[in-house]
Amino acid sequence: MKIIVIGGTGLIGSKIVTKLQASGVEAVAASRSSGVDTMTGRGLADVLAKASVIIDVSNPPTFDAAAALEFFEMSTTNLLEAEAAAGVRHHVALSVVGTERLSESGYMRAKFAQEKLIKANSIPYSIVHATQFFESIQKLAGLATDGGTVRVPPVLVQPIAGNDVASMLCNVSVGAPLNSTIEVAGPEQFRADELARRRLMARNDSREVIADPQARFFGAQVDEYSLLPGADARLAETRFEAWLARSVERAYATLRPPEAGGGRPEADAGF
């Protein structure tokens, strides 16, 4: 089995490639840095040759609504056409829990458009809806920053470790196509403002987190349950405090000189 990971050098994609290769699967990371551009189609035919499965975890460089829509529509169209020509038998895509509920968000509308293209195509597929990553909490804080404060809606979230998302995508990719959507989430629920506050404190970030019911999530108004998965979601095992402790340890390791055992820890997009 040959699996191509589109966006295979990013946070989730690199973990997927590593896990698949460790299990004996031929996994190839495809990205613009490796000469594959899904927006133009450049390099797709070559990298997809003899591939059985495609895992698409790519993302646009910006969350701007128009740019995101253009990216997902053009990229997905080019990818599906190249897959059909190459005889790919399973298309796996990573998406977001709540995509269909958060149409007020331009980014979520773009993800929904991507999913529609996949479902309308003849290639068997599996779509994995994930909750927010532990690693992306800092990004959410950045989007919500107003001077020295961070405004976050005090709604429930059930975030998941990026490593667990990668593991679940690996499991889905080596199985039979689901031709449906599944949800994956972490084992614990938090208030979004509480989670952001704990994350910033761990980074010694002095910004104040304010619980603001009017604050938006990627441009969308959210209520208490907008960001939660359904009751049948597949739950990961990694708990936030355990992940946070490892992340802080890795961050401090980078500050120690090599002779003190610092070395170069695994990259963590959350820091």
Side-chain angles (χ1 to χ4, degrees), residues 249-251 253-258 261-268:
E249 181 180 346
R250 287 197 297 268
T254 64
L255 303 178
R256 296 199 300 268
R264 294 186 63 186
E266 177 186 352
D268 178 0

Side-chain angles (χ1 to χ4, degrees), residues 125-228:
Y125 70 91
S126 300
I127 297 175
V128 177
H129 276 188
T131 53
Q132 299 74 43
F133 306 154
F134 292 157
E135 293 87 345
S136 68
I137 297 167
Q138 185 65 24
K139 182 183 295 184
L140 176 62
L143 291 172
T145 295
D146 178 15
T149 62
V150 178
R151 295 185 176 276
V152 181
V155 297
L156 291 171
V157 292
Q158 196 167 331
I160 185 172
N163 196 56
D164 290 339
V165 175
S167 294
M168 292 189 179
L169 283 164
C170 287
N171 292 339
V172 169
S173 70
V174 298
L178 302 172
N179 291 316
S180 64
T181 300
I182 63 168
E183 292 184 325
V184 300
E188 306 165 282
Q189 290 185 5
F190 303 88
R191 294 286 173 183
D193 59 305
E194 170 200 355
L195 199 64
R197 192 172 294 112
R198 290 164 69 177
R199 185 72 170 104
L200 294 183
M201 287 178 61
R203 297 187 71 248
N204 295 316
D205 190 317
S206 62
R207 286 177 293 171
E208 179 186 7
V209 176
I210 297 176
D212 182 355
Q214 300 306 311
R216 291 174 173 261
F217 179 81
F218 287 94
Q221 190 78 42
V222 290
D223 62 28
E224 183 81 341
Y225 304 105
S226 296
L227 304 181
L228 291 181

Side-chain angles (χ1 to χ4, degrees), residues 36 40 65 82 92 104 108 129 134 147 228 238:
V36 178
T40 64
V92 180
E104 193 178 4
M108 296 300 180
H129 276 188
F134 292 157
L228 291 181
T238 305

